Structure formats: structure tokens, C-alpha cells
Amino acid sequence: MTPIVSIFRNPPDGGRGFHRDMRVRWALEEVGQPYEMRLLTFSEMRRPEYRELHPFGQVPTYEDGDLVLFESGAIVHHIAHKFPGLLPLDPNARSRAIMWMFAALNTIEPCISSDGAGYLPVRLRELSSKLGNADWLEGEFSAADLLMVSVLRALRGTEFLENNPNLKNYVARGEGRPAFRRALTTSAPVIRSA
């Protein structure tokens, strides 16, 4: 069965790929897994039948047979475990990549979303120091990089990335991946809303 990913019918960002469904589509493109898209309006996301899939009435959801998931990090984690190509084979490297997936969503993204305490510059310096001159966080590109780049994209054109050139280049490398480009301009089949 072909997985179904729910996305905005008319994305508020104008289709620039800044919504969390992009993470899921990018992961599916990286592993070469065909998928279908369910385009939803905000009113359709509030309907009871959609709330059965996503209790918070947001996007994305991921439907694959009788499995329904929400939360982009959980979906990317599932895809990375189900299909080869997004997690290292070495058990320790695999665990570190998963650790960085959590760091992207639990340490970096909250600082970007609401930086009331001013932690963002500190966290970015720490991330920049860890990345150093490496292309990716754990050797080869992985789900860790997919999520971290997705999170950092929100800072494009800001002093935060300008002050951390290796992170700016890191984001550019991620956005330059063919799978990212395909996800951004995808022509995946569209199905009717839930």
C-alpha cells in the first residue's frame, strides 16, 4: 500500500516547504518510497473524521495501511527504521543519529519557536562547534540531518545563520539534495481529503 501524507491545500508559506509535512515528504523522497498526498484546508483539519487521524487537527499525518501516525519527528523516525538509507548501519552511529533527531526537535527547534530566554545564539554556537567542518552530523547524511536542516531552514536570511557560516552551508547542502528538491516540487498523486 502507498503511504498517504496529509499536507496543506494552500500552505500559508506559499509552498516554500517550511511546514512540517515537508520533513515527511523529504524522508520519503530520500528512501525512494512513493506516496500520495491528502490536501487539506484548515476547516477540513477541524472535522471529526480528520481528528480521528490527528487529535490536534494539524498536518502532517502519515497513513500506511492500518498504521496512522502524527508528529513529523515520529513519522520520520518510522520511515528511517522501515526503509534503508536514513540511519547508519553501525548500532552506535545509529543511536547517535537518533539522538540528533531528538536534539533537532527538542533542543534547537524550541529555541527558534520562542526564544524568550535568549538561548538560540548559544545553542547555535554549540551546534556549529559540534558540526565543525563536517558535511553531516554523523558521517553520512541521515534522518538527523534531515530534521536538523528542516529546523534550521526557519533561520534562512537571519543573522543567526550568518553568524554561523558552517550552519548556513549545512542548510544549503541539505536544500541542495535531489530528494529535498523533489519533495519541494513533488508531483505525488493527490487523493481526496479525509
Side-chain angles (χ1 to χ4, degrees), residues 86-186:
L86 281 177
L87 286 175
L89 297 178
D90 173 75
N92 289 343
R94 184 182 199 89
S95 292
R96 286 189 303 270
I98 293 168
M99 169 189 72
W100 280 109
M101 291 172 67
F102 280 89
L105 302 177
N106 295 330
T107 301
I108 303 298
E109 190 168 41
C111 290
I112 293 172
S113 299
S114 61
D115 188 37
Y119 288 118
L120 181 58
V122 173
R123 292 294 178 249
L124 292 178
R125 278 194 307 276
E126 293 164 340
L127 177 61
S128 176
S129 176
K130 165 56 179 134
L131 183 64
N133 293 323
D135 284 344
W136 308 113
L137 289 167
E138 281 298 323
E140 298 296 316
F141 178 86
S142 72
D145 302 296
L146 187 151
L147 289 178
M148 191 66 77
V149 167
S150 295
V151 166
L152 292 176
R153 288 186 72 231
L155 300 174
R156 288 174 74 224
T158 70
E159 65 184 35
F160 296 111
L161 284 187
E162 294 300 324
N163 293 340
N164 296 283
N166 66 332
L167 295 183
K168 180 180 176 181
N169 294 335
Y170 174 65
V171 171
R173 271 192 303 282
E175 291 178 329
R177 292 181 67 80
F180 177 88
R181 305 305 310 162
R182 286 191 304 272
L184 190 60
T185 61
T186 188

